[in-house]
Amino acid sequence: MFIATKDKALQTTTTGSLPRPGWYTENLRGQSLSRGFSQRGYREQHFDCLAAHVAMQYRAGIDIMTDGDTRLDDDVAGRSWVAYACERIEGIGPPRIEVQPAGFMADKKPGDIMWEVVETRMTPPVTGPIGATRLELDRAYKAMAGMTDRPVKIGSVSAQILALMLADEYYKDRLDLLNALSTALNREYHALADAGAPIVQIEEPAIHQIVNDPNSRTSPQQWADAFNREVAGLRAKCEVWCHTCWGSPAAQRVANQDFSYQPALAYFDQFDVDVLTFEGAANQGADLPHIGKQISKDKKIALGVVSHRTLQIERPEDIADLIRKALEHIEPERLILTSDCGFGRQGISRMHAFYKMVALVRGTNIVRNELGLPETDIPATNPMLSMVPIA
C-alpha cells in the first residue's frame, strides 16, 4: 500500500545505514533496545545520534529519511547488521569462530579484506526451534519519528540472510529454517507497522546471490515463497520495500565476480512488496532495460544513483544522466532515487555520506526541473547560509 510515495515522482532517500558520529561510543552488546533506553549514557547518545542523522538528511534535502541503523553496535564491517537479530531470536545460540556456510564466503582467503569480515562474523548455531524475537523495531521507529515530519524508513536484515549465515544444528533442512525465521520476523514487522511506521524495508532477499549457484539446495522459487511468508499481510498496513544489492561490509562486494540482476528479476517480480531497490550507480544502470521489462508496473523502483563504495562524490550532472537513462525504462511516478547500499558498516565518513546525499538531491532536482516537477529545497546549497562569504 503506497503511503510515503503515493502520487509522488522522483523522491529521494538512502538505503539505511549511516556512519556513526565518533562520540557515539555506547553499544547494546546483546541487551534489548528497551534496556538500552533505560540507561542514561546509551539513551543520550542514541537519541543524539538520531538527531544528527535527521539534521544531515534535512540539510541534504532527502525526502524519505532513515534512522541510520542507530540501534546496531559499532562492530567491524557492520557485523551487528546480522548479529543484532541473531542475539535476539530464541533458538539461536552464542556465535562460534568458523567460516559461515554461505557459499559466497567460501572463496575468501587471508590477505583479502573480506577475510577479515569473515573472521569477525563468528557463525551462530541454530540450537533449537526458532521462537520469540525481541528486535523491537517498533521502538527504533518511535525513537526517531517525533524528530521529523518526513517519512521515516526502518530496515532490518532478512530471514534469507540469516538462513545463509547460520550453522543449522536443529532443523537439518535449510528450507525449514528459512521458513521458521520468515514467520518469526514477520511478527516483528507487523509490530513495526502497527506502531505507525509508513515504510518497512526488508534487507535483503538471497535470490540474486544464489540463482546461478549449482550447489544451492533451495530453489529460487522456494526463496521467493519464503520472502512472501516474511512480508505476509504487511501491505495492508504500510508501504513495503525490498532492498537488494551486492554487498556492503566495509563497503565491499561480497562476491568477486560481476553479476547481473537479470536471472533473478522474474522471482523479484513475485514479491508481495511495493518497492524494489537495485544498485544502479556501480554499473551505470546496465540492468535498467531488464528491470523495465521484467518488473510489473504495480511496483516502484528505487534505483541507486550514488555509490556507497567510492569516496569520490558524484557530480549532480552525472547523476542526472543516470536518472534520464532510468526514465527510458521506468515512469517518473514509479522511480525513486537512492544509494546503492548504506553508507555505514565501516564504509565512508560522515562528510562523504552527507555530500553524496546532497549530490543525489541536486542531480534529481536537475531532472525534476526538466520534467516540470517541483524541486526539493536543499538547505546545504543556500548561499545565504554559507559561513564563508561568496564573491
Side-chain angles (χ1 to χ4, degrees):
M1 178 172 61
F2 292 114
I3 298 175
T5 66
K6 184 179 180 180
D7 301 326
K8 296 178 181 178
L10 303 188
Q11 286 186 288
T12 59
T13 188
T14 63
T15 297
S17 68
L18 294 171
R20 270 192 170 212
W23 44 259
Y24 187 9
T25 56
E26 292 283 338
N27 292 283
L28 289 172
R29 294 291 177 248
Q31 294 185 114
S32 67
L33 187 58
S34 294
R35 179 67 182 274
F37 284 171
S38 74
Q39 299 170 9
R40 186 190 62 80
Y42 181 86
R43 184 185 183 91
E44 182 176 89
Q45 290 190 14
H46 184 110
F47 278 75
D48 284 354
C49 180
L50 287 174
H53 287 337
V54 169
M56 180 166 66
Q57 293 172 89
Y58 172 79
R59 289 181 61 221
I62 294 292
D63 297 310
I64 298 171
M65 295 191 177
T66 77
D67 73 335
D69 289 349
T70 302
R71 65 193 175 277
L72 302 187
D73 290 346
D74 187 19
D75 287 339
V76 174
R79 170 183 172 270
S80 189
W81 181 54
V82 173
Y84 182 88
C86 292
E87 293 165 355
R88 294 164 177 82
I89 298 178
E90 185 178 277
I92 300 178
R96 303 182 302 225
I97 301 175
E98 60 184 49
V99 176
Q100 295 88 347
F104 51 76
M105 294 291 193
D107 62 346
K108 308 301 183 280
K109 306 295 181 185
D112 186 327
I113 186 173
M114 282 298 291
W115 180 255
E116 186 158 339
V117 171
V118 171
E119 286 185 317
T120 65
R121 285 303 190 261
M122 297 190 295
T123 306
V126 180
T127 57
I130 297 299
T133 63
R134 53 188 184 97
L135 275 62
E136 296 187 296
L137 302 177
D138 53 338
R139 298 213 70 181
Y141 166 72
K142 290 178 180 179
M144 178 175 169
M147 297 183 180
T148 176
D149 58 0
R150 298 185 186 182
V152 174
K153 175 161 61 82
I154 301 290
S156 176
V157 66
S158 69
Q160 311 224 335
I161 295 297
L162 296 179
L164 287 173
M165 295 293 189
L166 296 169
D168 181 15
E169 296 177 355
Y170 178 80
Y171 289 92
K172 309 301 183 184
D173 184 304
R174 188 68 54 178
L175 182 59
D176 290 342
L177 170 61
L178 174 61
N179 285 330
L181 287 165
S182 299
T183 299
L185 290 181
N186 179 261
R187 294 191 291 267
E188 286 281 353
Y189 305 146
H190 274 276
L192 174 57
D194 290 342
I199 301 174
V200 175
Q201 179 171 286
I202 317 302
E203 308 166 354
E204 62 183 303
I207 294 173
H208 56 307
Q209 305 282 3
I210 59 89
V211 68
N212 290 321
D213 182 0
N215 299 316
S216 177
R217 299 180 190 177
T218 307
S219 72
Q221 186 61 57
Q222 289 172 321
W223 286 100
D225 292 342
F227 189 90
N228 282 338
R229 176 191 293 260
E230 188 169 353
V231 300
L234 278 177
R235 291 180 72 192
K237 298 179 177 180
C238 65
E239 194 164 307
V240 182
W241 292 35
C242 169
H243 168 69
T244 79
C245 77
W246 299 102
S248 69
Q252 303 301 301
R253 291 174 65 100
V254 297
N256 293 330
Q257 303 93 333
D258 288 331
F259 288 110
S260 169
Y261 284 111
Q262 185 179 11
L265 291 177
Y267 301 103
F268 286 155
D269 196 45
Q270 298 178 31
F271 288 180
D272 188 17
V273 301
D274 299 292
V275 179
L276 288 166
T277 84
F278 297 100
E279 284 197 26
N283 63 4
Q284 285 300 294
D287 281 313
L288 283 170
H290 310 307
I291 293 170
K293 291 177 181 177
Q294 293 184 251
I295 300 301
S296 299
K297 302 293 187 181
D298 64 335
K299 292 180 174 64
K300 294 195 177 192
I301 304 299
L303 180 70
V305 293
V306 293
S307 174
H308 62 294
R309 299 193 187 96
T310 64
L311 297 182
Q312 186 67 38
I313 307 301
E314 291 84 354
R315 299 305 307 154
E317 296 80 8
D318 295 332
I319 293 171
D321 283 342
L322 183 52
I323 296 172
R324 294 186 192 103
K325 185 175 181 180
L327 289 172
E328 295 174 8
H329 308 280
I330 303 163
E331 299 84 354
E333 61 272 14
R334 293 179 56 225
L335 185 61
I336 301 164
L337 294 317
T338 183
S339 54
D340 275 357
C341 196
F343 294 133
R345 317 214 198 290
Q346 205 176 346
I348 61 180
S349 73
R350 295 177 73 198
M351 179 180 287
H352 287 92
F354 172 68
Y355 280 102
K356 279 179 177 282
M357 286 191 283
V358 172
L360 189 162
V361 182
R362 290 176 67 192
T364 303
N365 273 348
I366 292 174
V367 180
R368 286 168 172 158
N369 180 267
E370 293 170 352
L371 297 179
L373 298 171
E375 298 181 30
T376 296
D377 178 54
I378 309 173
T381 64
N382 186 339
M384 298 298 294
L385 301 179
S386 174
M387 291 181 285
V388 177
I390 298 176

